[in-house]
Amino acid sequence: MPILGIDLGTTNSLVSYWNNEKSVIIPNVFGENLTPSVVSVDDSGQIFIGKIAKERLITHPDMTASVFKRNMGSKKLFKLGNKEFLPEELSSLIIRSLKQDAESYLGQSVEEAIISVPAYFNDTQRKATKRAGELAGLKIERLINEPTAAAIAYGLYERESNSKFLVFDLGGGTFDVSILELYKNIMEVRAVAGDNYLGGEDFTNIIMSLFLEHNNLKLEDIEYKTAAYIKEQSEMAKIKFSTAKEVSIKCKIKDKLLDYTLKIDDYERDCQSLISKLRRPIERALSDAKIKASEIDSIVLVGGATKLPIIRTFVSKLFGRIPSVNINPDEAVALGAGIQAAMKERNRHLKEIVLTDVCPYTLGTDISIRKPDGYYEPGHFCPIIERNTVIPVSKSERLYTIQDNQEKINIEILQGESRLSKNNILLGEINIDVPPSPAGEQAIDVRYTYDINGILEVEVTVLSNGLKKRAIIEKNPGYMSKDEIEKRFQELSSIKIHPREKEENKLIMAKGERLYEESTGKIRELLDYNLQVFEDILNRQDDHEIEEAAKKLKMIFAQIEQMKEF
Ligand code: ADP
Ligand code: MG
């Protein structure tokens, strides 16, 4: 039974597996490699994932959620109709849909997957991702950092020892730069930097602004659906720029056809401010890793937005050479996760490599510091595992009682870089009893262990009597016990994802509804009539009749779309 590799992206998600000595992307039910990371629910409580949900983002924004990966690990609730979901729960629905696609493609059930996460994800975010996989009914024993996965996909682990790589990942809404180093057979993440609010979408927004400006329109004056429609057209135009020098956008708004032709030079001029924002994270990553740009052996482009010529030119100029692009940049992470899955299965065809990553933040605890007048000042941060330490790592710190007959020591488990505990993030706490004795006579050892999956375990031992307490850290204390996960798993399992074989028809309906909303007059009537007929046919459940009707409806859609373009 294969182990799946999953790229759970902010914008798009993919799934891969190892076959015939290589990693292969598994297409979804529509035959596409990318499944939009969008979840939608309809009035009857049915859930839609991917392409259909993306259509519904425009028609039913209140019932649809996207870009929830940004909130992974937080308790932010996304309201979809009358249901509420945590980011990890929405993610679990995406994973479940990928799992179903994989199972129907492979013709067998799948139980395990490796999921990729951004290198900067902290403990809480990693654990939430792991839970998302478990809620989808998969065993998740290992997570892989996205840049590491991309480097693996490029076969960089077969390079000579001591090679250094820079992974430049520009996705839909995020920008990540990572510097990796291969030493013997160890791949190490040396530094990560980025911008969580910079991505392909910003490059779409430039086109949208130009279109609005050209047509004397203001964003605040147009309604949501119209704006969403213009944005969709702008994204299509942007994608065309990866091969064309000139694109045109035509949008019918309130029965008026608005037209705009944009030349690549004008577009790229307006993109300069975004381009300059890319520079700083690159410089930071290089300086954190203490590596000069000229020492980088390979530059790898990842993320759909790196298909933009302006990005490629920028990277080539900055480093004075052409980056590697022989793998589709939006598939690299998933392909790497698939290779990693094969390594986990100890597939003999692959050279075994050890992946080591760094712990992206400093982890420590709160202590009191003795002032010259003998007073103990609380609130000081004592680092135990320093930022950028290679993991797995286990480190211990000895702490002493500060009061006579002190009965307890409270260990705050903190993450952050500030000298003062209050500025760092509280991940959890351990309270341990110590035998009452004079101040300073009782000691505890606090051991932090950060494993390869980025999961933190803290163990506290009282030296005098050997009493131990352990905690696997949870950011929200007591949040989701094993039983609760099981219960929520059952609840989520009972949610009906629309039957896969009917997806195609549901997509037709969703698309028809969107076209309906975008049109007026006669076209609207035509659509209304045909959609009603189609719905009746669907209800009759005669597969042959449905197939014929679907074909006809698709032709009608194509004609309408052509008319919109003239
Ligand atoms: P994420 O990692 O956030 O899930 P992806 O790597 O799938 O995202 O990238 C999605 C972004 O890539 C979107 O903004 C999309 O418009 C952009 N994109 C995809 N293909 C192209 C292309 N050919 N040219 C320009 N941008 C593209
Ligand atoms: Mg990505």
Side-chain angles (χ1 to χ4, degrees):
M1 192 185 298
I3 300 178
L4 301 178
I6 292 180
D7 170 7
L8 185 63
T10 311
T11 323
N12 295 301
S13 296
L14 299 89
V15 57
S16 66
Y17 81 118
W18 186 256
N19 184 35
N20 277 337
E21 285 159 53
K22 64 174 198 287
S23 184
V24 184
I25 306 279
I26 300 176
N28 62 23
V29 71
F30 303 114
E32 290 166 358
N33 289 354
L34 272 64
T35 297
S37 306
V38 187
V39 177
S40 185
V41 63
D42 75 4
D43 294 331
S44 68
Q46 282 212 44
I47 299 275
F48 299 97
I49 309 291
K51 199 169 165 177
I52 297 176
K54 195 178 172 189
E55 291 277 351
R56 290 174 58 86
L57 203 51
I58 302 178
T59 53
H60 301 82
D62 303 337
M63 312 281 272
T64 311
S66 63
V67 292
F68 36 84
K69 181 177 173 182
R70 278 207 177 122
N71 300 96
M72 185 67 97
S74 79
K75 291 191 98 175
K76 177 178 163 137
L77 284 170
F78 286 78
K79 207 163 159 26
L80 272 67
N82 55 9
K83 286 195 165 78
E84 285 190 330
F85 298 92
L86 288 167
E88 68 211 55
E89 295 175 340
L90 292 170
S91 304
S92 85
L93 296 170
I94 303 279
I95 297 170
R96 221 165 89 193
S97 153
L98 297 174
K99 176 176 180 263
Q100 283 174 3
D101 286 330
E103 286 175 340
S104 67
Y105 178 89
L106 299 167
Q108 58 176 311
S109 63
V110 180
E111 281 170 4
E112 187 176 350
I114 289 183
I115 306 178
S116 60
V117 290
Y120 59 79
F121 256 25
N122 65 21
D123 183 54
T124 311
Q125 294 164 309
R126 284 169 198 264
K127 279 224 283 296
T129 305
K130 196 163 176 279
R131 265 198 308 269
E134 286 162 1
L135 286 170
L138 286 166
K139 187 166 81 178
I140 310 295
E141 287 184 345
R142 195 157 181 359
L143 301 172
I144 182 169
N145 282 332
E146 288 167 9
T148 311
I152 290 177
Y154 271 97
L156 297 183
Y157 58 97
E158 283 164 351
R159 292 287 181 85
E160 287 160 39
S161 189
N162 262 334
S163 301
K164 298 176 183 68
F165 319 116
L166 183 138
V167 181
F168 179 108
D169 182 351
L170 192 63
T174 53
F175 174 47
D176 302 318
V177 186
S178 318
I179 292 176
L180 310 183
E181 188 167 358
L182 184 67
Y183 180 74
K184 300 226 166 93
N185 61 342
I186 297 179
M187 179 91 81
E188 197 174 300
V189 177
R190 287 285 305 276
V192 290
D195 186 334
N196 225 349
Y197 287 89
L198 178 61
E201 191 160 329
D202 299 294
F203 289 83
T204 301
N205 289 341
I206 299 261
I207 301 187
M208 182 164 175
S209 308
L210 285 167
F211 174 86
L212 292 175
E213 196 183 315
H214 178 82
N215 289 294
N216 282 323
L217 287 169
K218 285 211 169 66
L219 193 58
E220 51 275 24
D221 298 340
I222 50 180
E223 59 174 89
Y224 174 81
K225 282 180 188 172
T226 311
Y229 171 53
I230 301 174
K231 184 151 185 182
E232 199 189 346
Q233 299 297 313
S234 304
E235 184 174 11
M236 280 160 60
K238 176 187 76 176
I239 288 171
K240 282 190 197 144
F241 268 139
S242 49
T243 49
K245 294 268 174 253
E246 191 178 285
V247 298
S248 62
I249 311 174
K250 294 184 176 70
C251 291
K252 203 166 197 174
I253 296 169
K254 292 200 179 108
D255 255 356
K256 234 174 89 193
L257 185 86
L258 302 179
D259 193 353
Y260 179 52
T261 302
L262 179 59
K263 288 198 170 58
I264 197 160
D265 291 346
D266 295 330
Y267 173 55
E268 294 191 343
R269 190 175 325 116
D270 274 33
C271 289
Q272 283 312 321
S273 59
L274 294 177
I275 294 292
S276 58
K277 278 186 163 175
L278 295 168
R279 214 175 283 267
R280 189 185 284 248
I282 298 175
E283 286 163 0
R284 228 201 86 189
L286 287 167
S287 91
D288 271 12
K290 301 185 181 64
I291 289 175
K292 289 198 212 75
S294 57
E295 291 174 286
I296 298 287
D297 296 291
S298 284
I299 300 149
V300 172
L301 294 188
V302 182
T306 60
K307 291 183 192 171
L308 278 170
I310 188 172
I311 300 292
R312 300 208 163 165
T313 315
F314 164 73
V315 176
S316 306
K317 271 192 192 149
L318 192 66
F319 292 94
R321 78 196 97 150
I322 311 277
S324 314
V325 284
N326 44 344
I327 294 184
N328 195 344
D330 41 36
E331 294 180 355
V333 171
L335 288 171
I339 298 174
Q340 180 63 19
M343 287 178 185
K344 187 163 186 286
E345 289 172 296
R346 300 217 173 269
N347 198 303
R348 275 182 296 116
H349 303 289
L350 284 167
K351 181 177 150 191
E352 187 81 17
I353 56 155
V354 184
L355 303 174
T356 66
D357 296 328
V358 288
C359 163
Y361 304 96
T362 301
L363 297 163
T365 188
D366 178 65
I367 52 166
S368 298
I369 283 184
R370 191 163 188 229
K371 291 286 177 189
D373 59 3
Y375 166 71
Y376 279 95
E377 188 180 77
H380 288 267
F381 183 55
C382 165
I384 297 179
I385 296 177
E386 294 272 7
R387 178 177 70 163
N388 281 333
T389 306
V390 172
I391 58 170
V393 56
S394 190
K395 291 218 166 130
S396 177
E397 188 74 36
R398 186 160 294 175
L399 303 176
Y400 297 87
T401 51
I402 54 172
Q403 280 163 8
D404 290 338
N405 295 321
Q406 188 173 335
E407 289 180 357
K408 279 182 189 307
I409 297 180
N410 184 41
I411 299 298
E412 286 189 352
I413 301 151
L414 298 163
Q415 167 195 301
E417 310 306 324
S418 172
R419 203 171 56 79
L420 300 177
S421 301
K422 67 174 188 328
N423 298 334
N424 293 326
I425 301 169
L426 182 66
L427 299 173
E429 277 176 281
I430 297 180
N431 229 310
I432 197 158
D433 293 336
V434 287
S437 319
E441 273 196 12
Q442 288 292 328
I444 55 167
D445 274 344
V446 181
R447 176 165 290 281
Y448 279 33
T449 307
Y450 198 84
D451 78 3
I452 193 92
N453 291 322
I455 287 172
L456 173 67
E457 194 181 275
V458 175
E459 186 179 72
V460 182
T461 313
V462 179
L463 295 189
S464 63
N465 62 10
L467 178 68
K468 277 186 198 297
K469 264 194 168 180
R470 263 164 36 115
I472 303 285
I473 303 318
E474 285 181 318
K475 184 169 180 183
N476 309 299
Y479 166 63
M480 281 240 203
S481 63
K482 264 221 147 48
D483 287 352
E484 280 170 311
I485 290 186
E486 180 57 28
K487 185 164 161 271
R488 195 63 182 144
F489 173 70
Q490 297 302 343
E491 282 167 15
L492 287 170
S493 305
S494 69
I495 290 176
K496 297 169 287 171
I497 290 192
H498 196 267
R500 313 296 291 163
E501 63 279 11
K502 305 237 171 73
E503 291 275 85
E504 180 73 39
N505 299 329
K506 206 67 198 180
L507 178 68
I508 292 178
M509 285 301 296
K511 184 162 186 184
E513 274 161 30
R514 176 172 63 79
L515 282 174
Y516 177 90
E517 292 187 12
E518 285 167 10
S519 10
T520 47
K522 283 270 178 288
I523 295 181
R524 241 185 181 190
E525 282 167 31
L526 173 81
L527 276 166
D528 188 30
Y529 172 76
N530 279 287
L531 288 172
Q532 271 188 40
V533 170
F534 189 59
E535 237 168 4
D536 292 344
I537 292 174
L538 284 180
N539 288 336
R540 286 206 289 276
Q541 301 191 350
D542 174 335
D543 287 345
H544 182 70
E545 200 188 359
I546 292 175
E547 205 177 304
E548 288 299 309
K551 236 189 256 167
K552 187 177 155 208
L553 206 48
K554 276 199 233 167
M555 261 157 56
I556 297 178
F557 291 169
Q559 278 167 358
I560 292 175
E561 279 183 325
Q562 228 171 23
M563 271 181 342
K564 284 205 299 193
E565 285 178 17
F566 276 142

